[in-house]
Amino acid sequence: MAANEAGIEVTAPTTGELVVTEQPQPQPQPHKLERKWTFWFDNQSKQGAAWGTCLRKVYSFDTVEEFWCLYEQVFKPSKLPGNADFHLFKDGIEPKWEDPVCASGGKWSVTSSRKADLDTMWLETLMALIGEQFDEPDDICGVVASVRQRQDKLALWTKAAANEAAQMSIGRKWKEIIDVNDKITYSFHDDSKRERNAKSRYNV
Ligand code: MGP
């Protein structure tokens, strides 16, 4: 008995008769990620609407193939209208200060004056997150790309703002990933809740 490349099995029983059966082809298995992630979208252009009114969970995924499909079709910041945000967060964590996992956290921020740079930094960050490239994966919440009239920006949200060593390590690694040489700053959500332009706590 032998199967050829097309999966056709040829059997030659003792009767001399040839029996040809078609075998099902094995389907390629999707590449599973370490964990599940969720894309979110927020459109903040509605005049007078409270923050988060339009924040929506869009799609959760846990394979490399789904990620590329979603990224190519939808989640490129250069496709965003003004005053809108894309988020990629660990599944189960909402991209809000109010989420219990984010509540004691903060964010590293970087600005970008060119759409192409924002797309590139966003993609590099997404791949680093889903590929679990940070040394403190448990401290990561997710990343936000924001398109604004003045300047676009990216923010990497983490859990334990008070853990300076962890934040500095994440900040250094993120700068390498997005290939940024300028200083980037870390602010605590608790400070941002109190005042809009709160002073940053760490920089790297
Ligand atoms: P921001 O978007 O984090 O600051 O918050 P930024 O980047 O200075 O401003 P932007 O206009 O360029 O987006 C701006 C404001 O949105 C805050 O001062 C809050 O009033 C509100 N806000 C932002 N976030 C992330 C939250 C949140 O998680 N929860 C709540 N309740 N309000 C938020």
Side-chain angles (χ1 to χ4, degrees):
M1 199 191 315
N4 67 13
E5 277 171 17
I8 307 224
E9 197 168 272
V10 182
T11 315
T14 43
T15 56
E17 205 183 317
L18 269 187
V19 181
V20 178
T21 21
E22 206 166 315
Q23 296 295 307
Q25 287 290 294
Q27 291 297 310
Q29 289 299 306
H31 297 82
K32 274 268 183 197
L33 298 171
E34 189 69 28
R35 69 181 90 230
K36 199 169 186 179
W37 295 86
T38 300
F39 276 116
W40 296 70
F41 171 69
D42 192 9
N43 184 345
Q44 301 197 28
S45 51
K46 226 181 188 177
Q47 290 290 322
W51 183 90
T53 312
C54 298
L55 178 63
R56 296 281 180 274
K57 195 187 261 200
V58 183
Y59 202 96
S60 298
F61 64 95
D62 64 358
T63 66
V64 174
E65 288 76 6
E66 284 172 292
F67 166 73
W68 281 116
C69 182
L70 291 162
Y71 172 76
E72 291 293 347
Q73 301 293 326
V74 188
F75 295 99
K76 285 188 184 164
S78 55
K79 292 187 178 178
L80 275 173
N83 277 324
D85 300 318
F86 278 148
H87 316 68
L88 179 80
F89 269 58
K90 284 179 182 165
D91 190 53
I93 303 181
E94 300 201 348
K96 304 173 173 173
W97 303 331
E98 290 80 0
D99 184 279
V101 180
C102 301
S104 309
K107 63 179 183 185
W108 283 106
S109 305
V110 65
T111 55
S112 160
S113 43
R114 292 182 52 228
K115 297 271 172 232
D117 293 344
L118 183 69
D119 271 1
T120 307
M121 292 194 293
W122 165 250
L123 177 58
E124 294 296 339
T125 307
L126 298 185
M127 291 195 297
L129 292 178
I130 65 168
E132 308 287 337
Q133 283 176 31
F134 287 93
D135 293 331
E136 299 76 11
D138 291 345
D139 201 52
I140 303 279
C141 297
V143 60
V144 187
S146 307
V147 172
R148 298 288 182 271
Q149 208 158 32
R150 264 179 305 127
Q151 223 171 13
D152 298 338
K153 55 197 172 187
L154 270 192
L156 185 66
W157 283 37
T158 63
K159 270 188 212 171
N163 184 344
E164 182 172 356
Q167 303 322 323
M168 295 300 282
S169 160
I170 291 171
R172 281 192 201 100
K173 179 81 181 184
W174 193 37
K175 275 184 74 166
E176 272 174 36
I177 289 166
I178 56 180
D179 198 18
V180 162
N181 294 317
D182 297 342
K183 194 175 78 174
I184 62 169
T185 56
Y186 186 90
S187 52
F188 284 32
H189 295 324
D190 269 344
D191 294 342
S192 308
K193 279 182 213 164
R194 277 192 294 271
E195 54 175 317
R196 180 101 192 223
N197 292 314
K199 253 181 72 181
S200 58
R201 300 283 199 112
Y202 313 134
N203 60 70
V204 68

